[in-house]
Amino acid sequence: GKTTAAQQEAAEEALHNGLTGRSFSQKYKDILAKRRELPVNKQRQNFLDLIHNNQFVVLVGETGSGKTTQIPQYVVLDMLPQIEGKIIACTQPRRVAAMSVAQRVAEELDVKLGQEVGYSIRFEECTSSKTVLKYCTDGMLLREAMSDNMLSRYSAIILDEAHERTLNTDILMSLMKNIASKRRDIKVVVMSATLDSEKFQKYFNDAPLLTVPGRTFPVEIYYTPEPERDYLESAIKTALQIHATEPEGDILIFLTGEEEIEEACRLLRARGDDIIRSANCGPLLIVPLYSTLPPNMQQKIFEKAPEPRTKGGAPGRKIVVSTNVAETSLTIDGIVYVIDPGFSKQKVYNPRVRVESLLVSPISRAAAQQRAGRAGRTRPGKCFRLYTEKSYNNDLIEQTYPEILRSNLGSIVLQLKKLGINDLVHLDLMDPCAPEVLMRALELLHYLGALDDDANLTPIGHAISEFPIDPQLAKMIISAVEYGCTNEVLSIAAMLSVPNVFLRPREAQRAADMAKAEFAHMDGDHMTLLNVYHSYKSSSEPSQWCWDNFLQYRSLKSADNIREQLRRVAVKNNIPLLSNNFSSPEYYPKIRKALTAGYFMQVAHLERNGQYLTVKDNQIVLLHPSSVLERKPEWVIYNEFVLTKRHYIRTATEIKPEWLLEIAAHYYELSNFPPCEGKRILEKIALRNAIVQDEQERKKRKKEKKDK
Ligand code: ADP
Ligand code: MG
């Protein structure tokens, strides 16, 4: 290694591509010219000097300055992974960013995506033996560290978007500190758009800082005079008003998730057509962006705004409706107007009731500033905040709390155990996790049988950690062996791992409900999902079949793919693939028992007053309106607790109370339970069980006496 910027530039202008040996295409040369203008390129020599002389480098630069796409390439040119054998990874908190950036960098390097440049996200590996640069989610790299504790395949790790402080990035940072102290050859670059750089420098043993000055243009901020009741409606109105009255320039709207974004796009298309006709505006290109969008659709955000319909007519405009991913992870050139309703989906964890949810919550002032910044990339822009200035100053917090303080740590604790890190309390984290949250995680893993009394990983714990899914879900699969139904439970687990499969378009709700009723299973939502999966697999034209049945084809295809991956993990871990005879009366009860073995901590009981109460936590909950369980069975397990104004349980299935005592006796130690009807019923069953057992033992003893 130890190249200079001049040597690197010469390599980029050479006749042949150093990675493939092929000559460079014209497209490569065109992109190269643009890459040379990026602010990070002017800092290339400084960056190389720092990385040559330090193990850690902290790099801060405006969004769009070229950090994510260029820096990893500089490292590749410097370390020559294609010759040295050790490769480079760059982590991203978001799947879409990992995929989209990998695609772009593959183009920039004139290689095919998945060959020399690839990506790796949960349930999707797009790399090959030739891969020298890999973009991956932080979670995937953490998972890799479980089987390769020193990350020995890598010569450099670039942790991008560190300011997001996701749980996985925080743990990775701690891990990298540890690895770097043992591997003097590894380099670590920590990058971000906004960063409390001193805190990061200090954490990484006083690492040097490289600041990339960016070009930004002023952005005018507008607030609403009054709080908005319906931010979705207000965002659409604002966008159309911009289109009708403002000069050329694309619009970026921040919304919180897939459903909201699709709804907004639909409304924009419908109403956009009206104003285009009546107000004589230019044509609109409306594109959504969220994590579950297929890759070819994701690339649409980079398309140019449409041409005017007649020469010299009103200019066309692109409207991108996106989640937070467009805040700092992806740069879309040409944005001049930003609409910021002030919300995003954030992880919220309440350790007392052990509930983690994604909740639509107000963003921080730091995030609001980033969003506004997206309008000033290419020329002066405007940002429309759909909240009052007073609210910005008084209600928004300065910075979002790191995720580690508001997450369920179950899965992470298990992964760390596997890494041989036992002393979690003293793990060198940038912000230590809350003791109560940690305790809850250990408790959960103990109840699942993943940790023994001394908090050591058990064989079950090992198996659970092999699955890239929540510990409860993995436990359910492993337990299904005992009930002879791993095949069915794998299908259910896969269906639980994808976005909602049931479509319910506003204009066809009745028809959609009728279609869903065809799949409804008496026992509940899990079995209904199983029915859907089985029917999907036996349909001859899956995409048409999904359309006819109001099902999301994309989700089902993805479930099928996930099932295959889970199946492979199962096989690798000697978990036999079993099914019971379909005509046996035990076919469904056995599946429900396996579900119970994973989710015995998520049970609700219907009290006599007609309300469900969660067992042990005594929270009042409602069955989610989407549930097929209209008859309200007395005992249900549920997959998800939805925190909104009311508390809902979603995806529920009927169970029998005696199963709880049979399957999870250690958890159903009833003396610890607060009083409620459910507890009294379980106590009665426990008493009856004790009497029956007593009697059996007496009979046995009698028989033994007689036999003598
Ligand atoms: P940073 O990580 O500093 O925010 P990036 O490296 O992601 O910046 O992007 C640098 C520049 O590369 C962007 O300003 C944009 O011009 C260009 N770019 C990135 N991705 C794409 C893409 N998919 N299509 C076209 N241009 C892109
Ligand atoms: Mg970036």
Side-chain angles (χ1 to χ4, degrees):
K2 299 222 174 177
T3 51
T4 63
Q7 285 170 334
Q8 293 206 348
E9 294 200 344
E12 286 166 351
E13 289 156 21
L15 280 176
H16 296 283
N17 190 334
L19 291 177
T20 60
R22 292 191 294 263
S23 52
F24 285 120
S25 67
Q26 186 54 44
K27 189 172 164 203
Y28 167 88
K29 291 170 193 163
D30 296 344
I31 299 181
L32 182 61
K34 283 195 204 124
R35 289 171 50 203
R36 288 288 164 84
E37 284 163 23
L38 290 170
V40 288
N41 193 52
K42 299 188 183 62
Q43 300 287 325
R44 189 176 331 198
Q45 189 58 53
N46 288 341
F47 171 74
L48 291 170
D49 289 342
L50 287 179
I51 197 83
H52 291 154
N53 297 314
N54 298 277
Q55 221 176 347
F56 297 107
V57 176
V58 178
L59 194 156
V60 180
E62 260 315 309
T63 301
S65 58
K67 297 181 300 298
T68 311
T69 52
Q70 310 306 304
I71 294 291
Q73 298 190 52
Y74 303 164
V75 177
V76 166
L77 283 169
D78 197 54
M79 296 188 134
L80 302 176
Q82 69 275 30
I83 298 164
E84 300 294 327
K86 286 193 196 299
I87 71 169
I88 321 289
C90 176
T91 65
Q92 296 291 319
R94 295 193 177 77
R95 325 165 26 101
V96 204
M99 269 193 269
S100 162
V101 169
Q103 163 81 50
R104 168 70 180 178
V105 172
E107 274 172 34
E108 291 190 0
L109 282 172
D110 220 3
V111 300
K112 202 166 159 263
L113 179 64
Q115 295 292 310
E116 288 79 4
V117 176
Y119 66 85
S120 164
I121 59 181
R122 192 167 76 138
F123 298 127
E124 202 177 327
E125 178 80 26
C126 179
T127 58
S128 73
S129 56
K130 287 191 200 148
T131 302
V132 294
L133 172 56
K134 180 163 94 175
Y135 286 89
C136 58
T137 52
D138 44 12
M140 285 307 286
L141 191 64
L142 197 56
R143 209 149 250 291
E144 245 189 275
M146 275 175 27
S147 51
D148 179 6
N149 292 3
M150 283 294 119
L151 290 175
S152 57
R153 286 184 63 206
Y154 300 92
S155 57
I157 302 288
I158 300 161
L159 301 174
D160 201 1
E161 302 281 358
H163 76 282
E164 293 243 349
R165 301 292 309 278
T166 60
L167 174 58
N168 289 326
T169 292
D170 266 19
I171 303 277
L172 268 178
M173 289 199 293
S174 161
L175 219 58
M176 291 323 300
K177 261 183 97 163
N178 183 284
I179 293 175
S181 72
K182 295 176 182 144
R183 273 190 58 193
R184 305 313 301 188
D185 62 314
I186 198 166
K187 301 285 183 185
V188 181
V189 184
V190 183
M191 311 199 292
S192 182
T194 55
L195 211 89
D196 178 356
S197 42
E198 260 173 54
K199 186 173 182 176
F200 279 76
Q201 285 180 272
K202 214 160 160 196
Y203 179 72
F204 287 107
N205 315 330
D206 297 315
L209 171 70
L210 180 64
T211 312
V212 179
R215 303 162 299 196
T216 46
F217 296 87
V219 175
E220 251 180 286
I221 310 266
Y222 298 87
Y223 293 94
T224 53
E226 295 293 326
E228 290 289 344
R229 276 249 211 88
D230 181 346
Y231 65 77
L232 188 73
E233 175 62 27
S234 158
I236 289 163
K237 264 200 201 136
T238 309
L240 294 176
Q241 201 171 351
I242 293 170
H243 185 49
T245 58
E246 294 281 341
E248 200 174 349
D250 297 335
I251 304 174
L252 171 61
I253 308 178
F254 286 101
L255 291 176
T256 67
E258 168 172 355
E259 267 174 55
E260 217 175 74
I261 289 171
E262 286 296 350
E263 173 75 0
C265 288
R266 216 174 49 80
L267 291 171
L268 279 169
R269 281 186 198 113
R271 292 195 214 162
D273 279 347
D274 293 346
I275 71 153
I276 290 167
R277 249 172 274 135
S278 62
N280 201 17
C281 297
L284 282 173
L285 168 68
I286 293 156
V287 277
L289 179 64
Y290 48 84
S291 66
T292 48
L293 207 62
N296 60 324
M297 295 283 286
Q298 288 168 14
Q299 289 307 106
K300 268 184 130 50
I301 59 165
F302 297 108
E303 279 176 19
K304 282 212 158 44
E307 295 291 317
R309 264 165 314 155
T310 53
K311 211 159 164 239
R317 212 188 287 269
K318 175 168 73 176
I319 305 183
V320 179
V321 190
S322 170
T323 62
N324 242 352
V325 69
E327 195 174 289
T328 57
S329 304
L330 289 182
T331 312
I332 308 159
D333 289 333
I335 300 291
V336 178
Y337 307 96
V338 164
I339 299 174
D340 170 20
F343 292 95
S344 69
K345 262 192 197 156
Q346 294 167 28
K347 231 196 240 176
V348 180
Y349 180 58
N350 179 343
R352 232 144 269 148
V353 290
R354 271 184 256 104
V355 171
E356 180 185 78
S357 322
L358 277 175
L359 204 60
V360 172
S361 320
I363 58 171
S364 66
R365 278 198 291 273
Q369 281 159 15
Q370 279 300 324
R371 288 181 173 190
R374 300 292 71 77
R377 284 260 312 126
T378 34
R379 59 187 172 90
K382 292 183 179 179
C383 173
F384 297 86
R385 292 186 173 152
L386 306 181
Y387 39 92
T388 62
E389 185 163 15
K390 192 163 153 241
S391 183
Y392 174 81
N393 287 315
N394 302 338
D395 302 342
L396 298 194
I397 54 170
E398 183 54 41
Q399 283 277 348
T400 325
Y401 295 110
E403 214 177 67
I404 196 162
L405 301 176
R406 49 188 171 88
S407 305
N408 174 355
L409 299 179
S411 188
I412 280 285
V413 167
L414 197 63
Q415 291 188 49
L416 289 175
K417 288 269 172 197
K418 188 117 189 230
L419 272 165
I421 298 171
N422 279 308
D423 194 2
L424 299 170
V425 183
H426 296 110
L427 190 67
D428 180 12
L429 290 164
M430 191 171 265
D431 285 290
C433 40
E436 190 186 359
V437 174
L438 194 55
M439 208 185 70
R440 283 296 186 182
L442 290 168
E443 191 188 68
L444 165 82
L445 295 172
H446 188 249
Y447 283 134
L448 286 176
L451 299 179
D452 63 19
D453 288 343
D454 303 321
N456 292 319
L457 213 56
T458 63
I460 290 184
H462 268 289
I464 290 178
S465 72
E466 290 282 309
F467 287 92
I469 48 180
D470 275 348
Q472 288 104 308
L473 204 54
K475 174 70 190 294
M476 175 177 115
I477 296 173
I478 294 162
S479 305
V481 177
E482 200 179 319
Y483 303 104
C485 54
T486 33
N487 280 323
E488 290 72 22
V489 170
L490 278 170
S491 306
I492 293 173
M495 291 293 281
L496 292 174
S497 303
V498 296
N500 186 18
V501 294
F502 297 105
L503 294 171
R504 200 162 180 269
R506 225 174 241 193
E507 64 283 1
Q509 288 182 346
R510 249 181 65 87
D513 291 345
M514 275 162 63
K516 182 172 174 182
E518 290 291 312
F519 301 106
H521 191 286
M522 205 176 63
D523 290 344
D525 301 311
H526 294 87
M527 306 304 140
T528 304
L529 288 175
L530 185 63
N531 278 346
V532 171
Y533 181 76
H534 282 158
S535 313
Y536 167 78
K537 287 298 279 181
S538 56
S539 64
S540 52
E541 264 186 273
S543 118
Q544 181 61 39
W545 179 83
C546 284
W547 176 259
D548 294 342
N549 287 283
F550 292 91
L551 294 167
Q552 179 79 267
Y553 175 52
R554 204 194 314 142
S555 291
L556 276 159
K557 220 166 51 175
S558 161
D560 200 29
N561 174 318
I562 290 172
R563 188 188 186 284
E564 172 55 20
Q565 298 193 41
L566 296 177
R567 189 192 66 81
R568 266 189 243 149
V569 178
V571 169
K572 209 178 113 207
N573 287 279
N574 298 319
I575 294 170
L577 304 173
L578 310 168
S579 286
N580 291 306
N581 188 339
F582 186 65
S583 55
S584 150
E586 285 300 296
Y587 181 84
Y588 286 112
K590 285 199 161 152
I591 298 173
R592 284 151 61 205
K593 281 188 177 179
L595 301 185
T596 309
Y599 284 92
F600 54 84
M601 294 170 85
Q602 300 187 0
V603 173
H605 175 253
L606 184 68
E607 305 277 296
R608 245 171 309 171
N609 64 9
Q611 267 176 341
Y612 277 104
L613 216 52
T614 60
V615 171
K616 205 163 181 175
D617 305 319
N618 280 9
Q619 297 275 313
I620 297 172
V621 290
L622 297 169
L623 266 180
H624 196 267
S626 66
S627 178
V628 301
L629 284 174
E630 274 163 22
R631 66 194 166 87
K632 284 197 167 183
E634 188 178 349
W635 292 88
V636 294
I637 54 164
Y638 58 90
N639 187 60
E640 198 186 348
F641 189 105
V642 188
L643 275 171
T644 50
K645 270 166 249 139
R646 291 161 151 188
H647 293 174
Y648 286 105
I649 50 175
R650 187 155 57 192
T651 317
T653 282
E654 177 173 21
I655 56 156
K656 293 217 163 80
E658 47 269 34
W659 295 351
L660 296 171
L661 300 174
E662 174 192 318
I663 294 170
H666 49 309
Y667 182 75
Y668 284 88
E669 186 56 72
L670 294 166
S671 55
N672 306 331
F673 278 52
C676 65
E677 272 171 50
K679 173 178 174 168
R680 284 194 290 281
I681 294 167
L682 289 169
E683 275 172 343
K684 267 189 217 155
I685 298 172
L687 189 64
R688 203 177 59 212
N689 285 350
I691 293 172
V692 170
Q693 206 180 353
D694 235 33
E695 210 146 279
Q696 279 171 346
E697 264 167 40
R698 210 160 348 116
K699 269 188 201 152
K700 208 168 99 192
R701 274 200 300 274
K702 235 182 183 169
K703 190 165 175 278
E704 279 168 1
K705 242 190 207 162
K706 226 163 91 187
D707 288 349
K708 270 187 206 158

